């Protein structure tokens, strides 16, 4: 089997294992994280309704001029994304979420995003 195919299968299994335990609802939606090499994205999802309630990314913050375009995917950027998603979530009346790290380990940029969301006022 090709190496990239093994990696894809492994990350898919890991994400499925995490999502099997975490399900967002109307009163406590899911905060999902996607991390690319350059940017970091977060969205709040209500799985019962099948809708995204709020979303934020370092790409959006760079375009808005709130982040430096040099390194939009570092820990500081992730923390700002966490604060931004918390702000948007509060506007929709969401204060408690379930954190879905996907296939990523809880350290580095993912951890910084979670800390930023907590600082912004989200509970999980």
């Amino acid at each position: 089997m090709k190496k990239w195919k093994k990696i894809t299968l492994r990350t898919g299994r890991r994400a499925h294992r995490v999502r099997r335990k975490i399900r967002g609802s109307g009163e406590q939606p899911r905060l999902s994280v996607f991390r690319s090499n350059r940017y970091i994205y977060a969205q709040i999802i209500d799985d019962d309704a099948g809708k995204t309630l709020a979303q934020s990314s370092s790409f959006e913050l760079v375009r808005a001029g709130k982040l430096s375009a040099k390194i939009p995917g570092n820990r500081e950027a992730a923390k700002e994304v966490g604060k931004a998603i918390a702000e948007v979530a509060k506007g929709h009346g969401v204060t408690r979420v379930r954190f879905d790290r996907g296939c990523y380990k809880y350290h580095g940029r993912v951890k910084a995003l979670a800390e930023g969301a907590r600082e912004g006022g989200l509970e999980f």
Side-chain angles (χ1 to χ4, degrees), residues 73-80 107-109 112-113:
N74 60 6
R75 287 186 198 162
E76 290 81 25
K79 197 165 203 173
E80 291 301 317
H107 73 101
R109 293 188 288 163
L113 189 141

Side-chain angles (χ1 to χ4, degrees), residues 83-123:
K83 289 178 185 176
I85 193 76
E87 230 174 83
V88 176
K90 280 185 175 179
H92 288 282
V94 175
T95 55
R96 292 184 54 87
V97 295
R98 295 176 183 208
F99 190 71
D100 175 14
R101 61 183 174 84
C103 63
Y104 312 108
K105 290 183 179 178
Y106 186 79
H107 73 101
R109 293 188 288 163
V110 175
K111 184 177 178 181
L113 189 141
E115 289 171 354
R118 282 190 187 105
E119 286 178 17
L122 288 181
E123 297 175 28

Side-chain angles (χ1 to χ4, degrees), residues 4-103:
W4 61 269
K5 188 154 180 146
K6 282 183 184 178
I7 292 170
T8 305
L9 288 172
R10 207 175 323 143
T11 57
R13 267 190 240 121
R14 200 175 305 128
H16 181 70
R17 187 170 56 239
V18 170
R19 288 202 185 101
R20 188 174 44 207
K21 299 171 189 169
I22 298 172
R23 180 155 174 81
S25 61
E27 55 272 353
Q28 197 171 3
R30 175 169 56 104
L31 173 60
S32 179
V33 176
F34 174 73
R35 192 188 75 187
S36 72
N37 286 336
R38 187 171 175 98
Y39 300 108
I40 189 158
Y41 305 84
Q43 59 182 346
I44 296 180
I45 304 164
D46 179 4
D47 289 321
D48 291 341
K51 293 190 177 189
T52 299
L53 304 175
Q55 58 92 26
S56 181
S57 69
S58 57
F59 178 74
E60 283 182 349
L61 295 178
V62 167
R63 288 185 69 195
K66 296 179 182 176
L67 277 179
S68 169
K70 265 192 162 181
I71 309 173
N74 60 6
R75 287 186 198 162
E76 290 81 25
K79 197 165 203 173
E80 291 301 317
V81 171
K83 289 178 185 176
I85 193 76
E87 230 174 83
V88 176
K90 280 185 175 179
H92 288 282
V94 175
T95 55
R96 292 184 54 87
V97 295
R98 295 176 183 208
F99 190 71
D100 175 14
R101 61 183 174 84
C103 63

